[in-house]
């Protein structure tokens, strides 16, 4: 199948609660491979199955710096815990079994492209999940990987990062998108000139 279409807000499928994966068959493995390919093609750091219209509790992440734009997230900025984890990761039926501390990050989302808002998350998490073969694992991480995993897990509940910000800010963004659609590539280029920090979407 290859690269999949990424749904954008206000698509109603992004508001559904996704179902647990119970059969770890070839179609799940194919979906995982396609999601990784789609995430890389979109230059995202994470992607959840409902973002491609598949309502399964499944997500992929890769928060490592990329060759084309190493500046977006420096290797030196990765935490020791993050560096220990092999990425890309395919995470199925995830559950946070422990969350510690608080951190904030300017989050973006492939399903709300061009918008970035500061969201608060656990700083460090312990996550129980299954791999594509159904084997159970527990990982512990912090840094951008922990933030990204929490962002993707929200998608499985039909929740978006713009639901975490103040009601007025959230309403403003949602109304703007519904009225005018998403910023064009030219708008984004203008914005980039004004912001030093590279933004990431997931
Ligand atoms: Co997202």
């Amino acid at each position: 199948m290859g690269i999949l279409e990424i749904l954008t807000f206000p698509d109603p499928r992004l508001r559904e609660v996704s179902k647990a994966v119970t059969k770890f068959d070839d179609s799940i493995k194919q979906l995982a491979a396609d999601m990784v390919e789609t995430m890389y093609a979109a230059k995202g750091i994470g992607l959840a199955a409902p973002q491609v219209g598949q309502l399964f509790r499944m997500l992929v992440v890769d928060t490592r710096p990329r060759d084309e734009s190493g500046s977006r997230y420096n290797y030196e900025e990765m935490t020791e815990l993050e560096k220990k984890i092999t990425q890309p990761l395919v995470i199925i039926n995830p559950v946070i079994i422990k969350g510690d501390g608080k951190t904030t990050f300017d989050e973006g989302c492939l399903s709300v492209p061009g918008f970035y808002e500061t969201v608060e998350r656990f700083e460090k998490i312990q996550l129980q999940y299954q791999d594509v073969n159904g084997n159970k694992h527990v990982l512990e991480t912090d840094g951008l990987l922990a933030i990204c995993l929490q962002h993707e897990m929200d998608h499985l509940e039909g929740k978006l990062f713009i639901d975490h910000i103040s009601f007025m800010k959230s309403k403003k963004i949602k109304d703007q998108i519904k009225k005018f659609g998403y910023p064009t590539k030219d708008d984004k280029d203008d914005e980039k000139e004004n912001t030093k920090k590279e933004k990431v979407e997931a």
Side-chain angles (χ1 to χ4, degrees), residues 51 108-111 151-152 155 202:
Q51 289 181 279
C109 182
L110 293 170
S111 294
H151 174 112
E152 300 314 327
H155 280 298

Side-chain angles (χ1 to χ4, degrees), residues 36-52:
V36 169
E37 202 181 332
T38 304
M39 170 179 69
Y40 288 145
K43 296 195 190 313
I45 59 168
L47 186 70
Q51 289 181 279
V52 293

Side-chain angles (χ1 to χ4, degrees), residues 117-184:
E117 293 293 336
T118 307
V119 176
E120 188 180 276
R121 305 282 187 188
F122 288 126
E123 188 186 9
K124 187 172 161 187
I125 56 168
Q126 266 180 31
L127 188 77
Q128 180 192 290
Y129 68 98
Q130 284 168 283
D131 61 28
V132 282
N133 296 309
N135 297 317
K136 278 192 178 168
H137 303 272
V138 173
L139 71 75
E140 183 177 61
T141 190
D142 54 11
L144 185 61
L145 180 55
I147 291 164
C148 186
L149 286 166
Q150 291 172 82
H151 174 112
E152 300 314 327
M153 286 179 69
D154 271 356
H155 280 298
L156 309 182
E157 306 302 333
K159 208 166 173 187
L160 300 169
F161 81 102
I162 46 172
D163 303 328
H164 281 281
I165 58 180
S166 78
F167 175 78
M168 285 312 292
K169 247 190 195 174
S170 181
K171 186 176 165 11
K172 202 179 143 199
I173 292 175
K174 288 167 185 168
D175 287 349
Q176 190 186 330
I177 295 167
K178 284 175 185 163
K179 250 190 200 165
F180 305 111
Y182 286 96
T184 63

Side-chain angles (χ1 to χ4, degrees), residues 53-105:
Q54 300 289 328
L55 301 178
F56 290 116
R57 303 189 76 80
M58 176 168 165
L59 55 96
V60 298
V61 288
D62 191 343
T63 56
R64 293 172 302 171
R66 307 278 162 80
D67 288 338
E68 327 87 280
S69 59
S71 63
R72 74 191 334 193
Y73 190 67
N74 296 321
Y75 185 74
E76 296 76 55
E77 289 175 28
M78 290 183 87
T79 67
E80 291 310 309
L81 279 173
E82 270 185 287
K83 285 178 189 172
K84 275 188 209 161
I85 292 163
T86 307
Q87 298 192 68
L89 267 174
V90 176
I91 303 273
I92 298 175
N93 302 332
V95 179
I96 292 176
I97 50 178
K98 195 164 183 271
D100 285 315
K102 295 280 175 219
T103 188
T104 56
F105 188 75

